Amino acid sequence: QYSFKEVFGTLVVQKELFDVVAKPLVEDLIRGKNGLLFTYGVTGSGKTHTMTGSPGDGGLLPRCLDMIFNSIGPFQAKRFVFKLDDKNGVDVQTEVDALLERQRRDALPVPKTPSGKRHVDPEFADMINVQDHCRVEDVDEDNVYSVFVSYIEIYNNYIYDLLEEAPFEPIKPKWNSCNTPVRNGDFIPPQSKMLREDQNHNMYVTGCTEVEVKSTEEAFEVFWRGQKKRRIAHTQLNRESSRSHSVFIIKLAQAPLDADGDNVLQEKEQITLSQLSLVDLAGSERTNRTKAEGNRLREAGNINQSLMTLRTCIEVLRENQLYGTNKMVPYRDSKLTHLFKNYFDGEGKVRMIVCVNPKAEDYEESLQVMRFAEVTQEVEVARPVDRPLCGLTPGRRFRNQAFREELARKLELRGGPLGAEPEEQSVAEMLLQTFPPLPSCELLDINDDQTLPKLIEALEQRHKMRQMLSEEFAKNVLAFKTMLQEFDSSVLSKEHYIQGKLSEKEKTIAGQRTELERLEKKIKTLEYKIEILEKTATIYEEDKRNLQQELESKSQKLQRQASDKRRLEARLQGMVAETTMKWEKECERRVAAKQLEMQNKLWVKDEKLKQLKAIVTEPKEKPERPSRERDREKAVQRSLSPPPVPNAPPVRLRHRRSRSAGERWVDHKPPSNVPTETVLQPHVPHAITVAAASEKALAKCDKYMLTHQELASDGEIETKLIKGDVFKTRGGGQAVQFTDIETLKQESPTGRKRRSSPSHPEPLGEAADSEWTDVETRCSVAVEMRAGSALGPGYQHHAQPK
């Protein structure tokens, strides 16, 4: 069970619903307060019907308009006396400026406001034919009023103006109501509008069309024109389902009359602008029931999302109210809640009509709707205080009107009694016929300087002639009324004196009025110049602020660049020092390696010289020619190398081990390498083999090996394994420092340097030489130290295959 303030049955009429729900909002609107009324419910529950009604039975919207114009009808200002600006404010201008504005609008080919004298469209004539004549009591009669209406929709969380007249542009593509291009269509999709916040922190739609209306018919015609543009579509649950939230905004501008009760008080601070928003929410729906697809599915998702945001905002407001918390209300999550943020903050009265469909299929969704509506009742917002009065005397409009009527009656009586004698009437007629005729008094131009002087001259002539006739008539009367001569003479003298004074005063007043008009024109000119200067000063101030901001941003940028430069210089100095130290160490290491290599070479040369010396100093014996059989049976004796000199530094033979165990390598093998098919192949376990070096591969490893092939001097392929260490750079990258080179070289088999079984006998010295072989031929392994290597002596194979 759910409890609500009012519950209406299925047979309730629109008038009863209006009297309970909407009538208090209209009364608050005329009294200068804001109001919000929206219909809420599932799709197909009758929200649009409640708002607009049906033929013969108008809904809430036409009844609100009818009540407003019934209440302020005789007190409405002329068109363009109030002008809405583009910042959700209102300005007031004089009736002269309003007349010029009306003439300028009438001269346009297409008038911006619909004419109130045209015939009512029969399509909606029955909806606005309200016979109740409901009106607000105690309307302030000393104010003038103007009504402005606008109509927007929120579609897919974008705001569109339904009253916007889209210009025809042949270059842009045309679209129809189904959002598909057509060949010869005239419909161009409107541009979405933005939400802004005015100086009073009220939200409004910028660039929205606001039309001034003077009657219920005219206002409903504007609404009907926008209603035809509203997005509706056919679904499984509703033949004409609203696919957007529509908002019809009624703004009422009112300002007090001046002290004389004739014109509007030209003070912007005294203008009151109130607003009544009538919202027709799109219904929540489930896609498994509507069978929505494509655009309909997207629309349903946005509708449900905006309604969920509305629920969330209400729940957060209720939680803050019950528990005293200060949680932020997520108004900005949806354009619907963002637009009416001020109402939930207390800037007006909010009413919600919950529409429920008694269908059994809608039972679960209706329960959710009623649960949310019941929670909404518990939210209370602070109400704004009333605005202070202007301080002028009340009732000045009707007192001024009564004064003018009494003055007109007095002037009419001053012309003479109505029941005069026939002789006197004939005399009066005769006197009127003797007066000179009046010139034309029609003013066709505001700058006409001839009509009024001619009229004044004619009136003065008539006045002089009347004075002459009055004197002559007085003399004739004195002849017939001798008994009242003294009294009549005194009366006539006083009358002449008063008339002279009055004529002087009238002339003075005419001169003062002329001077006043001239000064008013001058004031308007000066005000216009001041306004231009203020706008220019505002533009210059804005440019100045922009330039100052740009200067500050550039100075900050320069400071950041200078600090970055200093930081980069310090980093470069550190890197230079580090690189210098590294290369100094590398140079020292290479010099030490080179010195060790040269020492090894010198030692080898010394060894060769010593062996050569030993061979040379050995005693020669006469060689004997052995037979071939003896040569076959007896193995050739190889000469022994002389022992090394004890004083020479010994060479330590150290086997070079691979350091790849426990380390991760990047095996860089270019695709241009030729397979050698040798027995000895480089193999590194747990290596990442790449065709080109990449930062991703280097980041995972700490060793790098490049396989490089080139042709040696003898035409064979020489394979070099260039190895190095991987370091992380200061900038977050990877760098490789090469530390070692291993060479794998192929050689073709060649003849040995030893001579065996000579064909001719040789001398003893030559025979002794034939038994000798150099060290490189007799040794299968040589010890070699590579320059730049920190791993110590390494092995290299020099023996020739047998």
Side-chain angles (χ1 to χ4, degrees):
Q1 295 182 356
Y2 302 97
S3 60
F4 299 96
K5 294 181 180 179
E6 292 288 342
V7 178
F8 301 93
T10 57
L11 302 178
V12 66
V13 294
Q14 295 278 9
K15 182 182 183 307
E16 182 180 354
L17 181 64
F18 170 76
D19 291 339
V20 176
V21 179
K23 186 176 180 180
L25 296 179
V26 178
E27 293 175 352
D28 290 344
L29 175 70
I30 295 179
R31 291 187 177 93
K33 299 179 182 178
N34 297 331
L36 171 63
L37 173 64
F38 58 92
T39 56
Y40 182 76
V42 299
T43 180
S45 59
K47 300 181 295 299
T48 304
H49 172 74
T50 304
M51 189 63 68
T52 59
S54 58
D57 191 12
L60 298 180
L61 191 145
R63 291 177 183 273
C64 289
L65 294 173
D66 187 69
M67 183 176 179
I68 291 171
F69 287 105
N70 288 339
S71 304
I72 66 170
F75 310 124
Q76 290 193 72
K78 295 182 180 180
R79 289 187 188 273
F80 306 115
V81 171
F82 292 99
K83 288 187 63 177
L84 297 180
D85 55 18
D86 56 351
K87 297 181 180 179
N88 202 30
V90 60
D91 296 325
V92 62
Q93 56 185 359
T94 61
E95 293 190 0
V96 177
D97 296 334
L99 176 61
L100 294 176
E101 183 75 17
R102 288 195 297 272
Q103 291 177 353
R104 185 169 65 253
R105 294 296 181 95
D106 293 339
L108 295 177
V110 179
K112 294 300 181 182
T113 56
S115 175
K117 297 181 181 180
R118 66 176 64 178
H119 296 288
V120 181
D121 191 348
E123 187 177 2
F124 58 84
D126 294 337
M127 292 186 181
I128 61 176
N129 189 13
V130 182
Q131 303 295 334
D132 299 335
H133 299 290
C134 184
R135 64 187 305 271
V136 179
E137 301 295 335
D138 302 329
V139 179
D140 191 354
E141 61 189 21
D142 294 323
N143 285 359
V144 291
Y145 303 86
S146 287
V147 180
F148 299 87
V149 295
S150 58
Y151 198 17
I152 63 174
E153 71 170 353
I154 303 175
Y155 175 72
N156 285 340
N157 208 26
Y158 288 96
I159 300 176
Y160 297 98
D161 185 7
L162 294 177
L163 303 180
E164 183 178 16
E165 297 293 341
F168 179 76
E169 298 184 12
I171 300 177
K172 292 186 178 181
K174 310 302 182 299
W175 302 80
N176 57 16
S177 60
C178 298
N179 292 332
T180 57
V182 295
R183 185 177 299 275
N184 296 319
D186 293 337
F187 178 73
I188 299 177
Q191 297 293 327
S192 61
K193 304 298 180 181
M194 300 290 293
L195 280 178
R196 292 283 186 266
E197 188 175 19
D198 61 8
Q199 59 182 358
N200 296 324
H201 305 288
N202 296 324
M203 305 306 299
Y204 69 97
V205 180
T206 180
C208 180
T209 304
E210 295 176 314
V211 183
E212 184 177 6
V213 291
K214 295 299 179 184
S215 64
T216 305
E217 295 78 7
E218 187 179 346
F220 201 82
E221 181 183 357
V222 173
F223 164 76
W224 199 253
R225 190 174 71 220
Q227 186 74 0
K228 293 179 180 180
K229 297 181 181 180
R230 189 181 176 188
R231 290 174 171 87
I232 59 176
H234 174 75
T235 63
Q236 294 290 336
L237 301 181
N238 193 354
R239 185 175 61 183
E240 295 182 354
S241 175
S242 301
R243 312 311 296 167
S244 63
H245 308 299
S246 66
V247 183
F248 188 74
I249 302 174
I250 305 172
K251 289 185 179 181
L252 180 64
Q254 52 181 308
L257 296 172
D258 55 8
D260 296 333
D262 291 332
N263 300 318
V264 185
L265 191 64
Q266 300 291 316
E267 294 182 8
K268 189 174 181 179
E269 294 78 10
Q270 296 295 334
I271 302 175
T272 302
L273 184 64
S274 53
Q275 175 177 315
L276 174 61
S277 301
L278 304 176
V279 185
D280 181 13
L281 295 178
S284 60
E285 57 186 38
R286 295 185 178 180
T287 56
N288 57 355
R289 294 185 58 204
T290 58
K291 308 298 181 184
E293 295 179 354
N295 289 334
R296 302 290 87 80
L297 182 62
R298 179 167 172 261
E299 293 165 356
N302 286 308
I303 291 171
N304 294 334
Q305 180 65 31
S306 61
L307 295 178
M308 184 60 67
T309 304
L310 176 62
R311 291 186 181 185
T312 305
C313 293
I314 295 296
E315 290 173 357
V316 173
L317 286 172
R318 177 173 174 269
E319 184 178 352
N320 290 341
Q321 174 183 327
L322 292 178
Y323 304 107
T325 58
N326 192 18
K327 289 186 178 180
M328 186 180 68
V329 184
Y331 294 120
R332 293 179 178 270
D333 292 352
S334 173
K335 294 293 178 62
L336 177 66
T337 54
H338 197 193
L339 177 61
F340 299 117
K341 177 179 75 70
N342 311 102
Y343 290 96
F344 298 111
D345 288 342
E347 291 293 334
K349 187 180 294 184
V350 182
R351 291 287 177 91
M352 180 173 66
I353 300 176
V354 181
C355 300
V356 179
N357 195 333
K359 291 172 56 178
E361 293 82 358
D362 295 339
Y363 177 73
E364 294 183 0
E365 296 183 43
S366 299
L367 285 181
Q368 294 183 2
V369 167
M370 289 190 290
R371 187 181 300 113
F372 166 67
E374 187 181 33
V375 171
T376 307
Q377 296 180 109
E378 302 177 4
V379 178
E380 295 181 0
V381 292
R383 302 297 178 194
V385 296
D386 296 335
R387 293 188 59 182
L389 300 176
C390 61
L392 297 176
T393 306
R396 52 193 179 277
R397 179 197 291 269
F398 288 113
R399 278 203 300 271
N400 187 30
Q401 184 177 356
F403 172 75
R404 288 197 298 268
E405 292 176 355
E406 183 67 19
L407 181 61
R409 191 179 66 81
K410 291 288 186 181
L411 291 175
E412 185 179 357
L413 292 176
R414 188 176 180 183
L418 296 176
E421 295 295 331
E423 290 83 4
E424 294 179 359
Q425 291 180 0
S426 63
V427 171
E429 291 176 358
M430 184 175 63
L431 290 175
L432 289 175
Q433 291 176 359
T434 58
F435 287 164
L438 291 175
S440 176
C441 300
E442 186 177 3
L443 290 176
L444 300 177
D445 189 6
I446 193 172
N447 297 320
D448 191 356
D449 298 334
Q450 296 180 0
T451 303
L452 289 177
K454 289 180 180 180
L455 180 60
I456 293 172
E457 183 179 0
L459 291 175
E460 288 177 354
Q461 291 178 2
R462 290 169 69 95
H463 184 66
K464 291 178 181 179
M465 187 174 292
R466 180 183 177 186
Q467 286 181 349
M468 293 172 61
L469 293 175
S470 299
E471 291 174 359
E472 185 177 359
F473 184 74
K475 290 179 181 179
N476 293 330
V477 170
L478 287 174
F480 293 99
K481 300 179 181 180
T482 56
M483 296 176 62
L484 300 176
Q485 184 176 4
E486 293 180 358
F487 179 74
D488 290 339
S489 61
S490 62
V491 170
L492 286 173
S493 62
K494 289 181 180 180
E495 184 179 357
H496 287 303
Y497 176 76
I498 291 173
Q499 286 179 354
K501 289 293 184 180
L502 286 176
S503 61
E504 292 177 359
K505 293 295 184 181
E506 287 177 354
K507 291 179 181 179
T508 305
I509 290 172
Q512 290 178 353
R513 285 181 178 176
T514 306
E515 183 67 19
L516 185 61
E517 291 177 356
R518 187 183 65 81
L519 292 176
E520 286 179 351
K521 292 180 180 179
K522 187 175 181 180
I523 288 172
K524 288 182 180 179
T525 305
L526 293 176
E527 288 178 351
Y528 178 72
K529 292 181 179 180
I530 290 173
E531 184 179 359
I532 293 176
L533 291 175
E534 288 178 351
K535 291 181 179 179
T536 307
T538 305
I539 293 173
Y540 286 158
E541 289 177 357
E542 185 176 358
D543 293 342
K544 180 182 177 182
R545 286 195 299 269
N546 294 334
L547 291 175
Q548 288 179 351
Q549 293 177 358
E550 186 177 357
L551 181 61
E552 290 177 358
S553 63
K554 289 189 175 181
S555 61
Q556 293 176 359
K557 186 176 180 181
L558 288 176
Q559 292 177 359
R560 289 195 299 270
Q561 291 179 353
S563 62
D564 293 342
K565 183 179 179 181
R566 289 193 298 270
R567 187 165 56 253
L568 185 61
E569 288 178 353
R571 184 185 300 175
L572 289 175
Q573 289 178 359
M575 292 177 64
V576 168
E578 183 178 356
T579 306
T580 304
M581 187 181 300
K582 184 187 299 182
W583 280 107
E584 287 179 355
K585 293 181 179 179
E586 181 69 17
C587 291
E588 292 176 357
R589 187 178 60 79
R590 291 186 180 182
V591 168
K594 197 69 177 177
Q595 289 177 354
L596 184 59
E597 181 181 1
M598 296 304 295
Q599 289 176 2
N600 291 335
K601 288 183 178 180
L602 290 175
W603 178 79
V604 170
K605 290 182 178 180
D606 291 339
E607 286 295 320
K608 289 181 179 180
L609 291 176
K610 289 178 181 179
Q611 292 175 3
L612 182 60
K613 183 178 179 181
I615 292 171
V616 171
T617 57
E618 186 178 354
K620 298 182 180 180
E621 297 178 357
K622 185 176 181 180
E624 296 180 358
R625 183 179 180 86
S627 62
R628 294 183 182 272
E629 293 82 4
R630 190 177 177 182
D631 289 337
R632 293 190 189 99
E633 295 175 357
K634 186 178 180 180
V636 180
Q637 297 274 334
R638 306 180 87 182
S639 60
L640 298 175
S641 298
V645 182
N647 295 333
V651 177
R652 294 183 302 164
L653 299 178
R654 183 166 64 90
H655 181 66
R656 186 172 188 179
R657 293 184 60 191
S658 174
R659 295 195 301 167
S660 61
E663 296 176 345
R664 195 74 182 272
W665 286 77
V666 177
D667 191 1
H668 182 186
K669 293 184 178 180
S672 60
N673 285 355
V674 179
T676 57
E677 299 180 357
T678 58
V679 176
L680 297 178
Q681 291 286 344
H683 174 68
V684 180
H686 306 295
I688 299 176
T689 304
V690 295
S694 62
E695 185 179 355
K696 183 177 179 182
L698 292 174
K700 297 180 181 179
C701 304
D702 50 359
K703 294 292 183 179
Y704 174 81
M705 181 175 69
L706 171 63
T707 303
H708 175 68
Q709 290 183 345
E710 61 181 8
L711 289 176
S713 59
D714 55 357
E716 297 294 336
I717 295 178
E718 184 179 34
T719 303
K720 291 185 178 181
L721 303 179
I722 305 173
K723 298 185 292 183
D725 297 332
V726 180
F727 297 97
K728 289 186 178 179
T729 61
R730 291 175 179 262
Q734 307 293 330
V736 178
Q737 180 180 358
F738 296 105
T739 58
D740 196 6
I741 298 176
E742 292 186 8
T743 304
L744 180 62
K745 183 177 179 183
Q746 281 182 279
E747 294 181 356
S748 299
T750 57
R752 304 179 71 176
K753 294 184 180 181
R754 183 177 59 186
R755 293 187 299 249
S756 62
S757 302
S759 57
H760 301 284
E762 297 178 353
L764 181 61
E766 295 179 359
D769 292 336
S770 64
E771 298 296 331
W772 170 80
T773 307
D774 61 347
V775 178
E776 294 180 357
T777 304
R778 294 163 58 194
C779 296
S780 61
V781 177
V783 179
E784 182 180 16
M785 176 66 185
R786 285 289 180 180
S789 176
L791 302 178
Y795 292 105
Q796 188 173 10
H797 190 268
H798 287 286
Q800 298 177 355
K802 297 182 180 180

